[in-house]
Amino acid sequence: MTTPPDFKRRTLVKALATSSLIPILGSNLIACSNSSNNSNNAIDSVPADFNHGVASGDPLTDRVILWTRVTPVEEGQVVVRWEVAEDAAFTNIVSQGEGVTNADVDYTVKVDAEGLQPAAAYYYRFMTGDKTSPMGKTRTLPQGMVQAASFAVVSCANYPAGFFNVYAELAKQDVDAVLHLGDYIYEYSAAGYASERAEELGRVSEPANEIISLSDYRTRYRQYHSDPDLQAARAALPFIIVWDDHEVANDSWENGAENHNPSTEGAYAERKMAAIQAWYEWLPVRPPATMEDIIYRRFQYGDLVDLLMLDTRHVGRDEQLQYSDFASGGIIDVDSVRAAYNDSTRSILGSEQLGWLREQLNQSSARWQVLGQQVLMSRYRIPSPLLEALDPGLVSEIDLAKGTAALLAAVEAKGKAPEERSAEEQALLDSAIPYNLDAWDGYSAERDEILGFAQQLDSKLVALAGDTHNAWTSQLRTSDGKVAGVEFGCTSVSSPGFDGPGLLGPGNAGLFGPLVAGLIDDLNYTNLVGRGYLHIAFTADALTATHRFITTVDSKDYSVNEAASKTFVVQRADMLLT
Ligand SMILES: [Fe+2]
C-alpha cells in the first residue's frame, strides 16, 4: 500500500497560490482586446506555426474557451491573433483580439471569447505572422426553453494502445458537446501499460520515461496532440472535460496514487501540481477565478439539462481500500471489507464538493440532472471467490479457470428460486462484494447518501462514467431499493478493457459480459470487448443512449461496428431501464 505523503489539500492550495501557476494560467488566457487597439505592436514576435490544432471548450451562453498552441522557430515571445465568426469564410467576425504566449505556458494560447449569442454555432481561427491555424467550429449553450440536447461521451485515450479512431468518429458527430470523462493521457513509460504494440503502430510514448515533471507532462500532451484524429475531434466540437487518475498517476486519490512512489519519484504534491498545470495549459478548460485543484462545475442546457461535472479523483478522495489488506491466504474476509467500504466517514468527493453537489441538485429545476464524472456509481458486486481468482491486486496471476467456475456456479445459483438453492449456493451469492473498490462502491455510504438525497428530491439523475474501458448500463437505486436514476459507463477510446492482455482476453470477455450482467442486480448490460463512445440525447420526456463501437484500434482501416451497437430509451416519468 502506498504510504501517504504528509500533505493536505489546503497545502496544495497554498502551494499553488505561492507558485507561478496563477500568473501562468492568467497569461495564457490572452486578453480579449480589439486587434486594432492593442499594445503588442512593440513585441518582437518569433515566427511560429500551428502544429497541434485548435480546440474549444467550457461553453456558456455568451462565451467559450478557445485554444491553440504555437511552435516557434526559436525561444521567445509569440504574438497570436484570434477571430470568431458566424461563417466559415470569416466575413462576419463577431469577436477578435490578440495576445502573447511564451515558454512559461509551453506556447499554449487560451482565450475566453465573449460577447457571443446563445445556442449559436461559430467558427474560429488563430493567426501569427503569415501563418493561420486550422479552423475550429464551436457552439454556445442555449438558454430558456430547450427541446433537445445531445452529447458524445468518451474517456480513456491511450496513445500507445492504438489509433484514435473513436476521436475520428467524434469529429463527424452533430452533438452539442463532447463530454470527456478523463484519462485524456496516460502517465506510463514507453515500456508501460498497454504499450505491447506501440512500436508496430508507430505510437511509442514520449518521453520514454514515466512522466513526473512539468516538462514530462508537457511533452506527453504534445505527442497526444500531434494525433490528427484528436485534432479533428477538438476542432469540430466544444469539449467539456474532467480529469481522472492518469492525468496525474494511476489510482490516485487526494494525497497520493498507486503509481507514485515518493521515495523515488519525489513529493506527490509537486507531481500533482505539475500535472494540473500542464492540464490547464493544454485543455480548453476555463481556469477557476481562484486557482485551486477544483474542476467540478455546472453547464446549463436551458431548462432541459443541468450538467454537473464532478471530480471523484483528486480534490477530496480518501485513499482506496485494497482487497489485499482484507485477505489472508488469498481468502477475503467479507465482513471486515464490508465494514470498511460502508464506513460513513469515507469520502470520494470531499466535503466541499459534496455540499456543492447537494446544493446543485436541490436548486436544479431542469428536466434532467446529469453527472459527468469518472468512476462507476451503481452497485457492481460479485461473489468473493471471483475476486479471489481474478483480482490483480490479490493474486500475482489471475486464475481464469477458477474464476470461470465461480462465475458459472454463481449464475446457476442466481437462476434458482431461493428455496431451491443449496446452503453453499446461497453462501456464494451472499458473499457478493464490489468488483472495484476504486469506484463509488468503495465509498458506499457517500454514494448511498447522494442517491437517497436525489431520490427524495425526485431528481432525474443520469450518471455518466468512464474509467473502466468497457461499456455499462445500470439502474441507480437507493440503499432501500428505490429507483434513483440510471447510469451509462462509456468504453474507452483505445485503452484495453477486460478483453486486454493479462485479463480475460477477448474471447472470455465476450462470454463473461452477459453472465455478469445476469448476476448483478442493478446491471442491465455490459460489453467487455469493444472500444467506442456513448451517444446520449435528451428531450423533455425521454433520453436515448447508445453505446457505439468501432471494429479496431490496431489500424486506421476501421469501420463502425453497427452489430455491437446497443440503445437504451429511458422515460423521464419512471426512469426505468427496460
Ligand atoms: Fe483509463
Side-chain angles (χ1 to χ4, degrees):
M1 181 177 283
T2 311
T3 308
D6 181 18
F7 166 66
K8 295 277 183 286
R9 189 172 71 84
R10 284 294 163 199
T11 314
L12 174 67
V13 172
K14 206 171 159 197
L16 287 168
T18 54
S19 77
S20 57
L21 188 53
I22 297 169
I24 283 171
L25 284 166
S27 69
N28 89 330
L29 199 76
I30 63 179
C32 299
S33 61
N34 186 304
S35 61
S36 64
N37 180 27
N38 66 75
S39 56
N40 298 318
N41 292 334
I43 292 175
D44 197 10
S45 183
V46 171
D49 205 350
F50 299 94
N51 296 336
H52 298 95
V54 297
S56 70
D58 278 16
L60 298 177
T61 55
D62 67 342
R63 68 193 66 189
V64 64
I65 294 284
L66 307 178
W67 178 97
T68 193
R69 179 180 189 268
V70 294
T71 305
V73 296
E74 60 186 24
E75 288 271 305
Q77 309 273 350
V78 181
V79 174
V80 181
R81 289 169 286 130
W82 54 274
E83 293 175 344
V84 181
E86 292 174 335
D87 60 318
F90 288 83
T91 48
N92 298 319
I93 291 172
V94 296
S95 186
Q96 62 185 316
E98 74 172 36
V100 178
T101 187
N102 59 32
D104 291 348
V105 289
D106 200 19
Y107 294 98
T108 57
V109 175
K110 222 186 247 188
V111 176
D112 206 356
E114 300 173 345
L116 308 181
Q117 296 301 309
Y122 290 102
Y123 301 83
Y124 62 93
R125 63 186 179 188
F126 298 85
M127 286 81 69
T128 185
D130 60 355
K131 303 285 187 182
T132 300
S133 75
M135 182 180 70
K137 195 177 174 191
T138 192
R139 60 185 71 179
T140 51
L141 292 188
Q143 65 184 23
M145 286 180 63
V146 174
Q147 306 291 331
S150 61
F151 306 96
V153 186
V154 286
S155 70
C156 298
N158 189 307
Y159 189 86
F163 291 101
F164 286 167
N165 297 331
V166 171
Y167 283 143
E169 283 303 302
L170 294 195
K172 303 174 195 167
Q173 302 303 309
D174 180 20
V175 290
D176 288 286
V178 171
L179 308 184
H180 201 301
L181 303 182
D183 287 2
Y184 190 97
I185 59 163
Y186 284 77
E187 83 279 15
Y188 297 104
S189 74
Y193 166 72
S195 297
E196 295 84 356
R197 300 195 58 194
E199 209 158 310
E200 184 187 335
L201 302 177
R203 296 174 75 85
V204 176
S205 289
E206 296 171 4
N209 56 283
E210 181 179 325
I211 54 176
I212 294 168
S213 69
L214 176 59
S215 167
D216 291 340
Y217 282 100
R218 285 170 166 173
T219 301
R220 191 62 59 87
Y221 278 106
R222 227 171 286 163
Q223 181 182 35
Y224 271 64
H225 292 98
S226 68
D227 186 280
D229 296 318
L230 176 54
Q231 287 192 18
R234 282 163 60 107
L237 292 161
F239 274 50
I240 296 174
I241 308 175
V242 284
W243 53 45
D244 196 6
D245 50 340
H246 290 286
E247 285 84 348
V248 183
N250 181 53
D251 280 1
S252 44
W253 53 288
E254 186 184 355
N255 299 324
E258 178 275 334
N259 191 28
H260 181 80
N261 184 343
S263 66
T264 57
E265 297 176 316
Y268 183 72
E270 280 179 30
R271 182 179 189 175
K272 181 174 175 178
M273 194 155 46
I276 287 176
Q277 179 170 339
W279 188 83
Y280 273 114
E281 286 171 353
W282 278 83
L283 300 188
V285 178
R286 183 171 289 105
T290 19
M291 184 56 215
E292 296 191 51
D293 49 347
I294 288 176
I295 57 161
Y296 52 88
R297 59 208 195 278
R298 179 182 67 175
F299 297 88
Q300 290 182 287
Y301 285 77
D303 63 354
L304 185 64
V305 170
D306 272 349
L307 174 61
L308 305 172
M309 304 301 287
L310 302 181
D311 177 1
T312 61
R313 191 53 78 177
H314 298 292
V315 75
R317 177 193 273 251
D318 290 326
E319 187 170 5
Q320 294 87 343
L321 301 169
Q322 309 287 344
Y323 278 122
S324 53
D325 292 334
F326 297 90
S328 86
I331 303 299
I332 298 167
D333 181 343
V334 168
D335 289 338
S336 63
V337 77
R338 278 183 184 154
Y341 67 68
N342 285 320
D343 180 349
S344 64
T345 65
R346 286 181 62 70
S347 181
I348 192 169
L349 294 178
S351 60
E352 287 175 34
Q353 184 178 197
L354 177 61
W356 175 86
L357 176 58
R358 289 170 67 100
E359 193 181 311
Q360 293 298 321
L361 291 173
N362 202 21
Q363 289 176 355
S364 176
S365 58
R367 298 289 286 176
W368 304 90
Q369 287 71 42
V370 179
L371 306 181
Q373 52 94 50
Q374 296 79 13
V375 289
L376 289 173
M377 194 174 197
S378 188
R379 289 179 193 79
Y380 297 87
R381 294 176 183 167
I382 57 177
S384 58
L386 267 158
L387 287 154
E388 289 157 4
L390 302 175
D391 185 64
L394 196 56
V395 292
S396 52
E397 201 171 329
I398 70 167
D399 188 336
L400 198 51
K402 190 175 156 196
T404 305
L407 176 59
L408 292 173
V411 169
E412 190 179 348
K414 186 86 177 173
K416 294 180 180 177
E419 62 273 17
E420 289 172 2
R421 291 173 194 150
S422 68
E424 197 183 14
E425 286 174 328
Q426 192 58 53
L428 179 63
L429 295 179
D430 288 346
S431 73
I433 46 179
Y435 106 79
N436 184 5
L437 290 168
D438 181 58
W440 282 86
D441 261 336
Y443 305 79
S444 290
E446 190 164 284
R447 184 261 316 280
D448 293 349
E449 182 193 339
I450 293 167
L451 294 184
F453 184 71
Q455 192 273 332
Q456 283 184 354
L457 289 171
D458 198 24
S459 301
K460 303 304 173 185
L461 202 64
V462 180
L464 305 173
D467 179 61
T468 69
H469 311 169
N470 291 119
W472 312 82
T473 298
S474 295
Q475 196 81 61
L476 293 170
R477 289 185 189 275
T478 63
S479 54
D480 57 353
K482 296 191 184 86
V483 171
V486 289
E487 172 167 61
F488 300 100
C490 67
T491 185
S492 60
V493 171
S494 63
S495 304
F498 273 113
D499 47 334
L503 287 170
L504 300 180
N508 289 309
L511 297 172
F512 267 50
L515 295 173
V516 169
L519 191 60
I520 299 174
D521 287 338
D522 296 336
L523 176 61
N524 189 293
Y525 156 88
T526 182
N527 176 322
L528 302 182
V529 182
R531 311 284 80 78
Y533 66 101
L534 178 83
H535 181 278
I536 188 163
F538 297 90
T539 64
D541 296 322
L543 72 80
T544 304
T546 304
H547 297 284
R548 293 180 179 168
F549 302 90
I550 53 159
T551 51
T552 186
V553 297
D554 294 340
S555 161
K556 282 305 300 163
D557 184 16
Y558 75 97
S559 58
V560 176
N561 184 354
E562 302 281 3
S565 183
K566 179 74 177 173
T567 295
F568 296 87
V569 178
V570 177
Q571 301 297 325
R572 185 179 177 278
D574 63 17
M575 296 297 286
L576 285 173
L577 287 169
T578 51

